[in-house]
Every structure is written in structure tokens, then in C-alpha cells.
Amino acid sequence: MTATIALPHVIRVGAGASAELAGTLDSLGLSRPLVVTDPFIAGQPFFQELLTRLEKAGFSPGVFAETVPDPTTTVVEAGLRALHEGGFDSLVAVGGGSPIDTAKAVALLGAHGGRMRDYKAPVVTDSPALPVVAVPTTAGSGSECTRYSIITDVETGEKVLCAGLALLPRAALVDFELTLGMPRRLTADTGVDALTHAVEAYVSAKANPVADGLAREAMRTIFTQLRAVYANPGDRAAREALMVGATQAGMAFSNSSVALVHGMSRPIGAHFKVAHGLSNAMLLPTVTEFSVPSAPERYAECARAMGLAASGSTDGEATGALVWELRLLNQELEVPTPREYGIGAERWWELAPLMAEQALASGSPANNPRVPTAEEIVELYHAVYG
């Protein structure tokens, strides 16, 4: 089986990369961008500086600052109206995964029409959409380098996964300085999200040598640096390394795939409004333990990449250390269980069968080393509840 490797045309990484937005747009032949962000980012000084630089460079940017966590079709439709009304030729996404996914969805519908559900996986849309330049402000989603967008359909309550080259940003400006003010909770959740991307990319049925290299390096970096950043948010060196690791993890899973953790995570976010990174963190240790017997060699390599097992360790020793350390990481990062988060037991049990069906329908669990039945997914939901 061959693998198709696709990355943004331009990736600029390092302190101050976001200041190169005007030059990046110009190099792509774009002149009238719609800048997509959320209300919080729109009020930050760096965002105003970004707009000022664009205007001084002769651009006429518009701003759509109505994105929300776990973006919805309602927000995408509002963004689409802003796109059409302003006659914009491109989108600049500034923020975490939600603004970037929103911008990608607007770019898709702006070029091809229809509704998000028309592009729901297993549909793959490779024909070009409007150009997107992504400027991430979190070290986690990796959306700046992926060919995916996840949008909640407000009519069905389902998180719709859309895939294809149409959703791959044309350029990514990865500037770790934009993450220096991130709250500790967001740092933890997005960091474990990125670690999950790397692990799942490596054990996926669609793994390939190129994605493997990116995933191993991402695992090593993220696991090493996440605790340091959580303990000291102002650690610039750790922040920079974590940002690069998160982008590498995004590249890895975009060119491989995610698996069961993500399949189970999306319904939790849709039904209980849990942030995507946090729901991934809730699931990662338990789903890893469930999956290890079907790919002990691959999971053992994950442990070795993270420095959790010596090169000469047995696969059993390595995978045991992996599951133990993932649970310990959640404790140290104060990741709550669904019960501790405040989700009622009765509602959780009631929705578990539906969430299991939605997880399977997304296609992600089919990439897992151990492909679960709906009944096994329900059991896993029960196990992680706490």
C-alpha cells in the first residue's frame, strides 16, 4: 500500500514567524484575506499588531471573530456569509484548532458550496478550496498542517469529520511566542492532544515510514517538554520545543491517521461540551491499555521514543511502562475523569451506546490496532468514567 504525503506549501517555524504573514500572502498571490479568529484572540495586542502589519503592507483584511470552541455549522455559515459579502480571496486562521478548523470549513464551502454534512467522511475532497494560511496560537491541535476539519452539525448534534487535500492549509506560520500566555489548563489539554496525535499516527493501520519519523520525534519532544511547560509557563525553550512537537504530530497524523481515542473523543465533545484535547486526555491511558495486545511492538517503540524504556527492554516491559506513565502524566497534569469534570453518571450511561455508534461511524476506530465492537467501546466509556 502506498502513502500519499501532503504538507502545506510553506511552513515557517520559529519566534516571530507570525510577523511574516504579509510576505507569505504576497508570495502566494493573495491580496484580500478574511482573518478568522475568536473573540478572545481578537482582543489581544498581538492580533491588532498582525492586522496593522497587513494594512501597512497594502492589504485590506476583513475580520471574522465569531468562532467558538468545537466549531458548529452555524458559525461556519456565518463565516461563509462574511466571506461572500467581503469578496475575499483567502482566509487567515489565527488561534487554536477551532478557528483553524472553522477557516478550513469556510474555505471548503466557499469554493464548492453545499453543507458540511455533504463532505462527511468517508467522503474525501481533494479538489482545491480557497487558500488558508494558518497561524496557530496553541501547541496541540496540529490543524495548521492537517487535511482535516471537525465541525459540529447543529441539526444532528454530531461532530462531522471532513477530510481531503481541500482542507490542507496553503501555509502555516508556527510562532511559539504566541503560546507564551496560554493558561496552564489549556497548555495541558492541547499538549496531551498532540501526544495522542503522535501515538495514534504511529500505531495506526495507515502508518508509513515518513509519518513514523515525525511521530517518533513528536512523542519524544512532547513527553519531555509538556511537564516543564505546565510547571513553568514562561519557559521559552520548552514552549518552542513543544510547539514544534505539536506541529510534527499534526504532520504525522495528517499523513497517517488517528484511531480509537479520537473516534471516542468526538462524541464526548459533542454531547458534553468537553474540549477536544481534554477528552482525548481522559481516554488515552485506558484506550492504549485496551489496544496494546494487538500491536505490542509498535506501542513498545512509542515507550522507547518517549524515554520510558531502555532500548534493550522487552516489549512487555516497555508497554507496561507506557500505560503506567500515561496515567501518571494525567495525574500530574490534573486531567479530570468525566465524573470529576461534572458529567452525571446517568446521562453518561444513557448516551454511551449512541456515542459508541458515532465513534464507529467516524471511521477512526477502524485504524486502531485492535478494532473494537460497539459493545467494547461502551465498556471503554464505562471504564474511563471514573
Side-chain angles (χ1 to χ4, degrees):
M1 183 178 70
T2 62
T4 300
I5 308 302
L7 299 171
H9 292 187
V10 178
I11 304 174
R12 295 183 175 176
V13 181
S18 60
E20 299 179 26
L21 176 57
T24 301
L25 289 167
D26 187 60
S27 70
L28 296 172
L30 305 171
S31 60
R32 188 162 169 74
L34 174 63
V35 183
V36 177
T37 191
D38 61 41
F40 175 78
I41 294 294
Q44 299 305 300
F46 81 81
F47 184 79
Q48 298 305 317
E49 292 172 9
L50 180 149
L51 292 179
T52 298
R53 289 194 195 99
L54 286 180
E55 290 165 354
K56 286 182 177 179
F59 291 87
S60 300
V63 176
F64 177 77
E66 299 174 25
T67 67
V68 296
D70 294 321
T72 66
T73 50
T74 299
V75 171
V76 171
E77 289 163 4
L80 189 61
R81 287 194 296 272
L83 178 76
H84 290 321
E85 289 169 2
F88 299 104
D89 65 358
S90 56
L91 297 102
V92 171
V94 182
S98 295
I100 297 175
D101 275 13
T102 300
K104 292 190 204 179
V106 172
L108 176 68
L109 297 187
H112 298 291
R115 298 181 296 176
M116 291 310 298
R117 68 183 66 173
D118 299 330
Y119 304 95
K120 176 183 174 182
V123 173
V124 175
T125 309
D126 285 340
S127 52
L130 292 177
V132 174
V133 176
V135 185
T137 62
T138 64
S141 79
S143 188
E144 68 274 8
C145 288
T146 74
R147 55 181 110 178
Y148 302 106
S149 178
I150 301 173
I151 306 295
T152 299
D153 189 325
V154 295
E155 293 182 17
T156 65
E158 181 183 4
K159 280 196 170 187
V160 175
L161 170 65
C162 302
L165 296 177
L167 294 157
L168 182 66
R170 197 68 57 86
L173 307 182
V174 184
D175 185 348
F176 79 91
E177 291 186 324
L178 302 186
T179 72
L180 290 171
M182 284 175 60
R184 294 174 79 238
R185 180 74 269 145
L186 183 60
T187 295
D189 295 345
T190 56
V192 179
D193 188 18
L195 182 63
T196 305
H197 293 154
V199 171
E200 292 208 304
Y202 195 76
V203 302
S204 164
K206 297 179 180 178
N208 61 77
V210 174
D212 283 355
L214 291 163
R216 280 194 298 267
E217 183 62 18
M219 281 186 273
R220 183 193 67 78
T221 302
I222 295 166
F223 194 84
T224 301
Q225 302 296 338
L226 182 52
R227 284 183 173 91
V229 173
Y230 188 68
N232 180 11
D235 187 332
R236 289 176 61 88
R239 282 280 186 194
E240 182 171 19
L242 187 62
M243 188 75 161
V244 171
T247 296
Q248 290 173 319
M251 294 178 190
F253 88 82
S254 181
N255 290 289
S256 174
S257 66
V258 288
L260 181 55
V261 174
H262 277 74
M264 291 180 63
S265 175
R266 296 183 199 109
I268 295 175
H271 293 288
F272 297 105
K273 309 305 178 188
V274 179
H276 176 67
L278 179 56
S279 57
N280 275 346
M282 292 174 174
L283 291 161
L284 181 58
T286 299
V287 171
T288 298
E289 186 174 31
F290 169 83
S291 305
V292 158
S294 294
E297 301 88 353
R298 297 294 281 183
Y299 280 106
E301 285 303 310
C302 291
R304 296 181 187 114
M306 294 183 210
L308 305 179
S311 58
S313 60
T314 67
D315 288 348
E317 291 168 340
T319 56
L322 176 64
V323 173
W324 173 265
E325 290 290 342
L326 290 177
R327 294 194 185 282
L328 184 60
L329 180 65
N330 273 8
Q331 290 178 14
E332 294 184 12
L333 299 182
E334 302 175 277
V335 174
T337 65
R339 180 194 295 273
E340 292 167 344
Y341 187 78
I343 297 172
E346 183 176 346
R347 185 64 174 157
W348 183 266
W349 308 144
E350 177 188 352
L351 285 174
L354 174 60
M355 292 196 296
E357 292 176 9
Q358 291 175 336
L360 286 171
S362 74
S364 296
N367 300 319
N368 207 58
R370 180 178 175 182
V371 180
T373 63
E375 292 74 19
E376 287 174 323
I377 294 179
V378 170
E379 291 174 5
L380 287 168
Y381 278 131
H382 288 185
V384 302
Y385 179 74

